[in-house]
Amino acid sequence: MSDFTPVAGLIGGALIGTSAVILLACSGRLAGISNIAHSVVDGLRQGKWMASGWRLTFLLGMILSTWAYFKWSGEVVNPRQHFPAGLLVLGGLLVGYGTSMGNGCTSGHGVCGLGRMSVRSLVATLCFMATGGLTVFVMRHLVQA
């Protein structure tokens, strides 16, 4: 595993957990990214800029912090080459459908829900992990894409 980075993973996980706790403590809201993104899109579509303020700031913070990390660390993103674009689109649509069907995403259930000891979030997270593992197995051993 040439990409194993335990220190970066530990720091990133601690930052994600800390931001989730701060958001919950300061506003009483969960840091479920799919719900935050959906609310921003819905609010902006209805012309409610102020209602989307903290959510938009949260999303921009995620994007800008990622940009800053890659700019200052010198690391580069190496996207997978020669992967069928149709499968990428299908994967994105399935993720969107899954977050809608599961009433949340990995951040909402896995980070915030498990932290609140939610049984529903435990089941959702186990489903996410099992599906992710199955997808990796299929893509690496059966599809060979």
Side-chain angles (χ1 to χ4, degrees):
M1 289 181 57
S2 62
D3 294 332
F4 183 61
T5 56
V7 174
L10 181 64
I11 292 169
L15 289 171
I16 290 169
T18 301
S19 68
V21 168
I22 290 171
L23 182 63
L24 183 61
C26 292
S27 69
R29 299 188 184 267
L30 297 177
I33 306 306
S34 63
N35 187 36
I36 291 172
H38 175 77
S39 297
V40 165
V41 171
D42 204 33
L44 294 178
R45 193 171 22 149
Q46 296 174 10
K48 298 178 182 175
W49 287 90
M50 294 306 291
S52 300
W54 74 268
R55 291 175 182 93
L56 191 56
T57 303
F58 192 91
L59 293 175
L60 287 174
M62 287 183 8
I63 294 166
L64 292 175
S65 63
T66 302
W67 172 82
Y69 172 79
F70 283 110
K71 177 157 178 60
W72 292 320
S73 72
E75 290 186 37
V76 294
V77 177
N78 294 315
R80 188 170 182 176
Q81 299 295 316
H82 311 295
F83 195 79
L87 286 179
L88 291 174
V89 171
L90 178 62
L93 291 171
L94 287 173
V95 168
Y97 178 72
T99 59
S100 175
M101 197 167 114
N103 290 324
C105 58
T106 53
S107 58
H109 285 298
V111 175
C112 302
L114 291 180
R116 294 181 310 120
M117 299 177 138
S118 166
V119 174
R120 183 178 86 155
S121 290
L122 175 62
V123 171
T125 302
L126 289 173
C127 289
F128 295 151
M129 297 304 288
T131 303
L134 181 63
T135 301
V136 169
F137 176 80
V138 168
M139 292 306 294
R140 286 198 176 167
H141 302 290
L142 301 179
V143 174
Q144 301 280 330

